[in-house]
Amino acid sequence: MTEENTLSRRRFVRLGLFASAAGLLPSPALAALWRTDKGARKLSFHNLHTDENLTTVYWVDGKYVPGALSEINYILRDFRQNEVKPIDARLLDLLYALRLNLDTNASFQVISGYRSPLTNAMLRRASEGVAAHSLHLKAQAIDLRVPGRELSVVRDAALALRGGGVGYYPRSDFVHVDVGRIRTWS
Ligand SMILES: [Zn+2]
């Protein structure tokens, strides 16, 4: 990590704490992060269904990296239908901010990324907790856990970002994060 990245991360974490203490909306920490257009943003995923792994730099000096986005779209695809949909870039930025907030290089362990209509309908029949108009259908949501971080800590870090919806599923051991309206449930 470069000195510049380290400095911006410290600043980010400090702002993040301030934001969560003050309850401001939206998070000044996120806004501060997005104002910088220098550096690189890296994300790591482990898809628990397919056992695929990916570490990739998806953003460099203000530009998204198309090849990296394709790799991310693929690992977060609907594996049941083998259907790929471009993941909303705001979700990737939110995940990057979450990674900074959690101060970890661990891969996000992915339970669910994009879901096709067919898969979402199937999951709805099998479980009560699946929404009809889930943001997974728009590739704007992800269900995840983070190795080495308590689930409640991941939830709190996501809530502090105020970047969208955060759902807490302790029995299934995952947190849902999306870039829809700011809201929370468990
Ligand atoms: Zn979800």
Side-chain angles (χ1 to χ4, degrees):
M1 179 173 272
T2 66
E3 185 60 19
E4 184 174 292
N5 280 344
T6 306
L7 285 173
S8 67
R9 187 180 68 183
R10 282 196 195 120
R11 179 156 171 256
F12 172 81
V13 169
R14 196 171 65 235
L15 284 167
L17 290 172
F18 170 73
S20 82
L24 300 174
L25 350 148
S27 159
L30 265 184
L33 186 68
W34 306 155
R35 273 200 298 275
T36 59
D37 61 356
K38 289 280 174 279
R41 296 179 188 165
K42 184 161 82 173
L43 285 171
S44 299
F45 298 99
H46 175 205
N47 185 315
L48 295 178
H49 288 288
T50 63
D51 205 29
E52 294 163 327
N53 285 285
L54 174 67
T55 293
T56 191
V57 173
Y58 75 96
W59 185 98
V60 179
D61 291 344
K63 292 195 180 69
Y64 293 100
V65 181
L69 296 184
S70 298
E71 289 178 309
I72 292 172
N73 295 342
Y74 185 75
I75 199 169
L76 298 183
R77 73 192 178 282
D78 180 337
F79 73 96
R80 293 178 178 89
Q81 300 297 323
N82 206 29
E83 208 177 304
V84 178
K85 185 169 171 118
I87 304 298
D88 192 314
R90 292 173 301 163
L91 183 63
L92 303 184
D93 290 334
L94 193 61
L95 291 176
Y96 176 71
L98 182 60
R99 179 179 168 137
L100 292 184
N101 226 0
L102 289 168
D103 196 18
T104 179
N105 286 319
S107 293
F108 288 116
Q109 294 188 335
V110 180
I111 290 90
S112 187
Y114 168 62
R115 280 183 211 149
S116 67
L118 212 61
T119 293
N120 202 63
M122 185 271 285
L123 292 175
R124 256 171 77 73
R125 283 193 296 274
S127 154
E128 285 176 11
V130 179
H133 303 288
S134 162
L135 290 178
H136 288 278
L137 290 160
K138 294 179 164 180
Q140 294 178 335
I142 187 168
D143 298 337
L144 55 80
R145 64 179 79 115
V146 182
R149 296 290 182 274
E150 293 288 331
L151 199 65
S152 60
V153 170
V154 176
R155 173 200 58 195
D156 293 347
L159 283 172
L161 293 171
R162 310 194 78 90
V166 179
Y168 184 55
Y169 296 85
R171 271 191 304 167
S172 307
D173 193 20
F174 70 79
V175 173
H176 164 110
V177 177
D178 67 51
V179 289
R181 276 185 308 110
I182 296 174
R183 65 211 191 286
T184 186
W185 66 91
S186 57

